[in-house]
Amino acid sequence: MKKTIVLAAGVLATWTAAAPAATLDTVKSRGTLVCGVSAGFAGFSAPDSQGNYKGLDVDYCRALAAGVLGDANKVRYVALTAQNRFTALQSGEIDVLYRNSTETFLRGVTLGLRQGPVNFYDGQGFVVKKDLGVKELKDLKGATVCVAQGTTHEVTLGDYGRANNIDWKPLVFDRVDTMYQTFFGGRCDAMTQDASALAGAVTTAAPKPDDYVVLPQTISKEPLGPFTRNGDEVWSDIITWLHYGLIEAEELGVTQANVEEMTKSSTPAIQRLLGTSGDLGSRLGLDNKWLVGAIKAAGNYGEIYERNVGKASPLKLDRGLNALWTKGGMMYAIPFK
């Protein structure tokens, strides 16, 4: 029995040492994180008037770069469409995909990619012009609906229509910006997308935002999160624990403004999170205080949410399911221990 235990421990040590760290090594060697994002989703990733990307997904990229490279600005953003986002990751064009992408069964088992923890719970909704008088989805029978190609929305739109005897007419676009121009130009009766993206579209792309309304009904679950490549466990773990670290920081009251002061805390959970006790960061091939840099760069999850899509942003979305579990939401950090 003793020999068996020794052998098992030896195998475990060998497996741990051999766990691939290809992407982490590449990023460190290159000195820049290559982050796949969208080109025009207000609140998630979109360039401002100076060409600087802003948004919830962008803040995750910045936090990751700060944690891994020590500098939140060492990021190169690659704007991707719904059609080429997964191919870009599979081919190694990008290191990680943060592009408000829905996690599904088929994407999890057929693409050769690993789905990270959900960083935004959403649902597929519809936006219409107020003067159409649409109150619920059944009022859209026979309507032309703008929808983006290569998305879960395209599939769900057809499924929901057939299941509920709504014979809407999809008008499919390969580019989101073209879809927005077409809808706000009056060619479609409705447009469907993640409800958060619709709110952003009305705020930033509608000629007269007050003329439009996002209907209260949603027809799907759209859990959004990052994607990495299969077989690169170390890098995937870093992406996973970055998210949990930002959630844990919010739970513990660690913020962008006080994170340095919090490194002096005597609270064991804060000490482990910020690397002043234990050696959790080194288990990922990083500095033990890597999350100090990440939080200092972007803030905790609540700060990232509020700044980009919450009440402090033009979108003014409620936290809803994206609130902490202690406040009725679904954001819950796995313990750092």
Side-chain angles (χ1 to χ4, degrees), residues 182-206:
T182 303
F183 172 71
F184 291 119
R187 187 175 170 190
C188 295
D189 301 303
M191 180 168 65
T192 187
Q193 204 176 20
D194 291 343
S196 60
L198 294 176
V202 170
T203 301
T204 61

Side-chain angles (χ1 to χ4, degrees), residues 5-59:
I5 294 173
V6 171
L7 177 60
V11 171
L12 177 60
T14 301
W15 181 89
T16 302
T23 304
L24 176 60
D25 292 341
T26 298
V27 170
K28 285 183 174 181
S29 176
R30 187 196 301 128
T32 303
L33 172 71
V34 183
C35 211
V37 297
S38 61
F41 278 94
F44 288 85
S45 62
D48 62 16
S49 57
Q50 283 76 46
N52 300 311
Y53 277 86
K54 300 289 179 64
L56 185 145
D57 287 338
V58 172
D59 275 349

